[in-house]
């Protein structure tokens, strides 16, 4: 097998190198440009001659919601007109991903002083993270290309998602995760969904490097976000969001940044929506990183976005514990194109914001909470104005990292920090008597 995509005669897409612009109909297993080695993206050449009609697209996406066909029930494949085409809709490996809620955040709105504050909760996907939106597309194309094995390096969520879609699609999954550096709950998903799971004695960046070598030597299909099919699927987050907002464009979208695939995908979607006339202006797309894993922040500030500054990554938000982000160039491009900002937040700020999102009755994993922490910073800087509308992209479910949450509420995390005390809700151990429970009730009145 020499290429990951044997384009069918009717393929509606091509690959294009993001650096030298070289176009091709097929991609090698490393998904890198044959000329300059940079990353590939997917383009739709037919749009040049005849753009899909925006009003017709919106109406057919709405109509599909009423259909019982699996591809129509998927919040990803419902938007298939803007995705690489399948020969038949039933080729899609789908768990009915997407269809994630857009929540108002009344308490966080009060705290930040931004009444128009929303959360697009991608943690409500089938395996609990935004990865499912990309995985359904990339796993489908892996199966179409005839691969028996799919593989990924991961900080946990990609592996959970890939393991699920591999099994649903009748393929084997190989997971490479850094030993001791991902949450048990994510690891347990990969095990349960039946992947071959390798805990490597390295970090995420080490796992990804090894995978890049592996795909050149063995017939495994890589499902990291270097794979441009992943980003096409993840684009649908933005399509679905705009549909939920009745195509009224928010002023800001804020996403966490790790390997930087998701911000790249959302940015690509926004630019394509503008090109096709689905929206008339762009929201500013901002990326927030943990201070201890701030490669993009440093790349933009210290190198003007011209070359990557890698960092040794350390953060308790393990999902974004990444020091050498693969899609940094794509992310830098979409930040510039949409006029977004790039900020970093501290571990305390992450814990604080996570508890505030939890107290909304929603919750998210630590990496997702950087968005709220980042918003507070962007407000202070005047980059976001209180009367503007803001959508935070919550990337993972609260239950993805229970250790973090329990350490926080029990006071084991930042025990000396007074500003966090009011947000902690530690469990109370009592004798099993009515008096004890009533006494506790009074105490918390
Ligand atoms: N939020 C969560 C919950 C994640 O799992 C990730 C990435 C990100 C944000 C960052 O997204 O990498 O596209 O910038 N997790 C990957 C994984 C790397 O392996 O699960 P990104």
């Amino acid at each position: 097998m020499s290429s990951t995509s044997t384009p069918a005669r009717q393929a509606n897409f091509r690959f294009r190198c993001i650096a030298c612009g070289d176009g091709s109909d097929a991609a090698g297993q490393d998904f890198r440009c044959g000329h300059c080695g940079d990353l590939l993206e997917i383009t739709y050449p037919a749009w040049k001659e005849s753009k899909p009609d925006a009003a017709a697209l919106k109406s057919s996406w709405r109509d599909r919601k009423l259909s019982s066909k699996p591809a129509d029930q998927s919040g990803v494949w419902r938007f298939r007109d803007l995705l690489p085409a399948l020969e038949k809709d039933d080729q899609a490996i789908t768990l009915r991903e997407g269809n994630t809620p857009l929540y108002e955040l009344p308490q966080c709105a009060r705290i930040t002083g931004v009444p128009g504050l929303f959360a697009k909760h991608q943690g409500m996907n089938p395996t609990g993270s935004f990865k499912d939106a990309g995985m359904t597309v990339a796993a489908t194309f892996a199966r179409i290309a005839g691969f028996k094995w799919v593989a990924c390096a991961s900080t946990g969520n990609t592996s959970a998602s890939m393991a699920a879609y591999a099994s649903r699609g009748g393929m084997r999954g190989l997971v490479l995760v850094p030993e001791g550096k991902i949450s048990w709950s994510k690891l347990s998903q990969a095990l349960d969904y039946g992947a071959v799971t390798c805990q490597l004695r390295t970090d995420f960046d080490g796992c990804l490097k090894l995978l890049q070598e592996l795909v050149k030597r063995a017939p495994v299909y890589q499902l990291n976000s270097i794979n441009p099919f992943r980003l096409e699927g993840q684009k649908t987050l933005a399509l679905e969001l705009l549909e939920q907002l009745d195509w009224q464009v928010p002023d800001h979208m804020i996403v966490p940044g790790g390997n930087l695939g998701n911000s790249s995908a959302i940015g690509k979607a926004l630019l394509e929506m503008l090109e096709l006339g689905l929206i008339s202006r762009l929201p500013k797309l901002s990326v927030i990183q943990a201070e201890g894993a701030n490669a993009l922040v440093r790349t933009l500030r210290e190198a003007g976005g011209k070359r990557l500054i890698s960092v040794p990554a350390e953060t308790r938000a393990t999902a974004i514990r990444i020091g050498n982000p693969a899609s940094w160039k794509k992310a830098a491009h979409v930040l510039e194109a949409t006029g977004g900002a790039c900020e970093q937040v501290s571990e305390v700020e992450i814990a604080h914001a996570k508890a505030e999102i939890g107290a909304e009755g929603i919750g998210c994993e630590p990496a997702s909470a950087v968005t709220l922490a980042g918003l507070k910073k962007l407000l202070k800087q005047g980059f976001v104005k209180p009367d503007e509308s803001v959508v935070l992209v919550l990337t993972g479910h609260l239950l993805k990292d229970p250790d973090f949450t329990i350490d926080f509420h029990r006071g084991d995390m930042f025990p000396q920090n007074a500003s966090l005390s009011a947000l902690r809700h530690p469990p109370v151990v009592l004798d099993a008597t009515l008096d004890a429970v009533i006494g506790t009730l009074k105490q918390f009145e």
Side-chain angles (χ1 to χ4, degrees):
M1 206 161 311
S2 62
S3 75
T4 49
S5 161
T6 318
R9 245 173 298 127
Q10 62 271 53
N12 65 338
F13 66 92
R14 294 196 85 209
F15 297 99
R16 181 174 63 198
C17 171
I18 59 161
C20 73
D22 185 57
S24 55
D25 287 332
Q29 297 190 22
D30 58 355
F31 288 110
R32 291 200 172 264
C33 171
H35 295 282
C36 74
D38 219 316
L39 296 185
L40 303 178
E41 64 180 355
I42 284 176
T43 59
Y44 302 90
W47 295 1
K48 286 269 170 292
E49 282 103 60
S50 72
K51 281 193 183 133
D53 178 70
L57 285 175
K58 287 178 186 175
S59 119
S60 102
W61 295 338
R62 213 175 25 241
D63 292 349
R64 284 177 190 156
K65 281 188 180 177
L66 301 173
S67 151
S68 56
K69 257 176 60 178
D72 291 339
Q73 288 189 349
S74 160
V76 172
W77 293 104
R78 191 160 65 81
F79 299 100
R80 57 188 170 272
D81 314 79
L82 305 192
L83 298 178
L86 300 174
E87 277 176 38
K88 290 195 290 235
D89 292 342
D90 63 6
Q91 285 176 304
I93 305 168
T94 174
L95 288 163
R96 315 300 186 269
E97 52 291 315
N99 302 313
T100 58
L102 179 67
Y103 293 124
E104 283 168 351
L105 295 176
Q107 296 182 44
C108 294
R110 263 194 305 280
I111 292 165
T112 55
V114 178
L117 182 59
F118 297 89
K120 174 73 173 154
H121 207 327
Q122 293 297 95
M124 301 301 180
N125 266 295
T127 76
S129 85
F130 72 98
K131 306 288 181 180
D132 295 343
M135 208 54 79
T136 180
V137 175
T140 295
F141 279 89
R143 189 168 68 174
I144 290 172
F147 281 86
K148 303 273 179 292
W149 279 91
V150 291
C152 70
S154 182
T155 56
N157 281 327
T158 300
S159 54
S161 181
M162 187 201 76
Y165 283 85
S167 290
R168 296 296 295 180
M171 296 177 287
R172 303 295 313 276
L174 174 72
V175 161
L176 306 181
V177 290
E179 206 235 329
K181 299 286 173 17
I182 77 165
S183 100
W184 286 111
S185 121
K186 298 175 189 180
L187 187 66
S188 70
Q189 289 182 284
L191 305 181
D192 217 39
Y193 299 140
V196 174
T197 302
C198 305
Q199 296 179 279
L200 303 186
R201 292 186 198 93
T202 178
D203 55 11
F204 168 80
D205 300 293
C207 292
L208 188 56
K209 200 159 159 240
L210 204 134
L211 179 68
Q212 303 274 290
E213 293 304 314
L214 179 72
V215 295
K216 289 190 220 154
R217 302 267 292 274
V220 297
Y221 184 93
Q222 76 153 312
L223 283 176
N224 276 93
S225 55
I226 289 171
N227 181 324
F229 290 105
R230 280 268 315 273
L231 300 200
E232 291 308 291
Q234 285 171 214
K235 278 186 340 193
T236 56
L237 179 167
L239 294 165
E240 189 177 79
L241 168 69
L242 265 297
E243 186 186 57
Q244 286 166 319
L245 292 172
D246 214 8
W247 303 100
Q248 299 303 304
V249 181
D251 297 305
H252 294 272
M253 287 182 71
I254 304 185
V255 289
N259 213 19
L260 299 172
N262 205 30
S263 38
S264 304
I266 295 170
K268 186 171 191 282
L270 296 173
L271 294 170
E272 289 180 358
M273 278 192 267
L274 187 68
E275 182 191 340
L276 298 178
L278 288 159
I279 53 175
S280 53
R281 67 182 178 95
L282 292 170
K284 292 191 172 81
L285 178 66
S286 294
V287 173
I288 313 296
Q289 298 195 297
E291 273 177 8
N294 61 353
L296 185 66
V297 175
R298 293 195 52 191
T299 294
L300 296 177
R301 288 185 192 168
E302 296 166 36
K306 297 279 180 279
R307 69 185 160 82
L308 175 66
I309 299 183
S310 311
V311 298
E314 195 48 80
T315 169
R316 277 205 65 159
T318 51
I320 50 173
R321 193 176 178 281
I322 295 172
N324 193 28
S327 294
W328 69 273
K329 249 188 221 174
K330 290 185 180 181
H333 167 69
V334 299
L335 282 189
E336 198 186 340
T338 67
C342 184
E343 253 308 332
Q344 56 188 341
V345 291
S346 70
E347 297 293 296
V348 170
E349 288 167 335
I350 295 172
H352 200 283
K354 182 174 130 46
E356 287 168 341
I357 295 168
E360 293 271 14
I362 292 176
C364 64
E365 69 166 286
S368 309
V370 301
T371 54
L372 178 61
L375 168 63
K376 292 179 192 170
K377 278 202 146 167
L378 296 178
L379 278 161
K380 265 200 198 120
Q381 294 164 4
F383 182 79
V384 176
K385 314 273 184 306
D387 62 347
E388 291 181 318
S389 53
V390 179
V391 177
L392 308 179
V393 178
L394 302 183
T395 43
H397 197 278
L398 167 69
L399 293 176
K400 283 286 194 172
D401 195 347
D403 285 353
F404 185 108
T405 310
I406 288 170
D407 283 358
F408 177 84
H409 287 291
R410 281 197 177 144
D412 299 336
M413 190 188 291
F414 311 119
Q416 314 297 346
N417 191 305
S419 74
L420 298 175
S421 315
L423 291 161
R424 300 194 205 266
H425 309 292
V428 187
V429 181
L430 300 174
D431 287 334
T433 67
L434 206 51
D435 281 352
V437 177
I438 289 174
T440 306
L441 207 54
K442 287 197 175 132
Q443 205 185 318
F444 284 91
E445 249 170 9

